[in-house]
Amino acid sequence: MAEITAGMVKELREKTDAPMMECKKALTEAAGDMAKAEEILRVRLGNKASKASARVTAEGLVGVFISADGKLGSIVEVNCETDFVAKNDDFIKFVNDMAQLVAESNPASVEAIGSLAYAGGTVDSVRSALVGKIGENMSIRRFERVSAAGRLASYVHSGKIGVLVDFTGADEAVGKDVAMHIAATKPKALDSTGVPAEDVERERSVAMAKATESGKPAEIAAKMVEGSVQKYLKEVALLSQPFVKDDKLTVEAMLKSKGSSVSRFVLYVVGEGIEKKVNDFAAEVAAQAAAAAAAAK
């Protein structure tokens, strides 16, 4: 049987806000599998257990660039080690310059960005010099370059969430409003057909487990599962979400009322999906003290 450590219980509690003992039970049942334990808690405790599941742990900034005619744009994520460096003027300039460089140079990959000419050298040489100056490692994590079918709008929230939206319509404010909505609600896709299949199956699995525990007849349980999946799809697809500025309208209805449409969007959240080592300072001090005592004997 897998050992369930206090650190594992603490991590699951921080992800889900579930009671400590429930976290320990779920981890034991899941044989230490964190993702499985989170699903078990969602079945038992409902959506509360998904709270904070999207918390990010890496630092950095998202940079966005849009050409003057609104037809070409890019979005870039550059990571660093601490939030302190993310507020450094040189780092901020580097991030914004990378967004523009990606749009204008159209690199084939993140690796290809490093060899692009930049500031009298290459991106890699300037990045290395900046690392030496600031004293902290940094890297370009990802980018996307967008040629608009209509025109582009963007929104960046505190440098941590960046959005590009390809939209049509005469009202420029619509594009900005949709970009802000996306930053606030973080949809997974434009409509339900674009939601990743693995996400849908995960929700279906949780819904089936809940329906089974309810003890309802099979026919009713099947309807419960389908209803839960459809509700999930409406919640995570942009066009079916209630518009943040007027929740009586869906985003799709709002766009239609303005004679507008959205063909695609790109959403970046800094550090999303990156695991960051968390140091236990007290444990480190205790370990150092113990080592010093052992060396003195």
Side-chain angles (χ1 to χ4, degrees):
M1 180 179 290
E3 181 186 1
I4 309 303
T5 67
M8 292 167 67
V9 175
K10 180 175 180 289
E11 180 182 350
L12 185 59
R13 176 170 167 74
E14 288 176 348
K15 281 186 173 183
T16 65
D17 275 355
M20 193 76 73
M21 289 307 298
E22 289 294 334
C23 291
K24 186 174 181 180
K25 288 178 185 177
L27 282 164
T28 301
E29 187 175 333
D33 185 318
M34 190 67 65
K36 181 64 176 175
E38 190 171 347
E39 282 197 21
I40 290 170
L41 286 175
R42 290 190 59 198
V43 171
R44 290 178 182 166
L45 305 178
N47 287 336
K48 182 183 177 184
S50 67
K51 183 181 178 182
S53 63
R55 283 178 184 164
V56 297
T57 53
E59 301 299 342
L61 293 174
V62 174
V64 171
F65 172 82
I66 297 177
S67 61
D69 62 4
K71 302 296 288 185
L72 178 65
S74 65
I75 183 167
V76 175
E77 179 184 350
V78 183
N79 294 134
C80 56
E81 295 179 46
T82 65
D83 189 52
F84 178 77
V85 166
K87 297 173 182 177
N88 177 281
D89 288 341
D90 290 334
F91 182 76
I92 293 170
K93 181 180 186 305
F94 181 77
V95 173
N96 291 332
D97 286 352
M98 290 306 99
Q100 182 172 350
L101 190 61
V102 163
E104 294 174 347
S105 302
N106 193 20
S109 64
V110 168
E111 291 74 21
I113 297 175
S115 60
L116 294 176
Y118 171 60
T122 65
V123 170
D124 266 347
S125 68
V126 173
R127 183 192 62 81
S128 295
L130 195 55
V131 168
K133 177 181 178 181
I134 294 176
E136 189 171 301
N137 193 27
M138 58 190 67
S139 61
I140 300 170
R141 181 189 180 198
R142 54 180 172 166
F143 73 89
E144 191 154 346
R145 185 176 183 268
V146 180
S147 294
R151 55 180 165 161
L152 296 171
S154 68
Y155 177 69
V156 178
H157 182 75
S158 301
K160 303 299 184 182
I161 304 171
V163 181
L164 272 180
V165 177
D166 186 352
F167 77 106
T168 63
D171 189 347
E172 292 185 15
V174 170
K176 184 78 169 183
D177 282 346
V178 173
M180 292 177 69
H181 172 100
I182 292 168
T185 64
K186 301 178 183 61
K188 291 182 177 291
L190 184 65
D191 57 35
S192 61
T193 64
V195 178
E198 59 269 26
D199 290 349
V200 178
E201 285 309 306
R202 184 163 53 248
E203 291 302 314
R204 188 180 301 279
S205 175
V206 169
M208 287 179 66
K210 287 182 179 179
T212 300
E213 286 197 355
S214 73
K216 301 289 185 182
E219 184 179 340
I220 295 176
K223 289 181 180 179
M224 289 171 61
V225 171
E226 190 57 32
S228 293
V229 171
Q230 291 305 314
K231 180 175 181 289
Y232 168 75
L233 290 173
K234 285 183 179 180
E235 290 173 347
V236 300
L238 172 65
L239 295 180
S240 56
Q241 289 180 331
F243 181 45
V244 291
K245 283 192 170 184
D246 183 356
D247 60 11
K248 294 183 175 63
L249 294 174
T250 62
V251 172
E252 185 173 33
M254 181 279 292
L255 289 168
K256 186 175 181 180
S257 73
K258 301 289 187 179
S260 296
S261 64
V262 170
S263 59
R264 68 174 296 197
F265 69 87
V266 184
L267 166 67
Y268 278 4
V269 179
V270 167
E272 190 173 41
I274 297 177
E275 291 295 331
K276 182 180 179 181
K277 181 179 179 182
V278 178
N279 293 318
D280 186 333
F281 180 70
E284 284 186 9
V285 171
Q288 289 174 7
K297 288 180 179 180

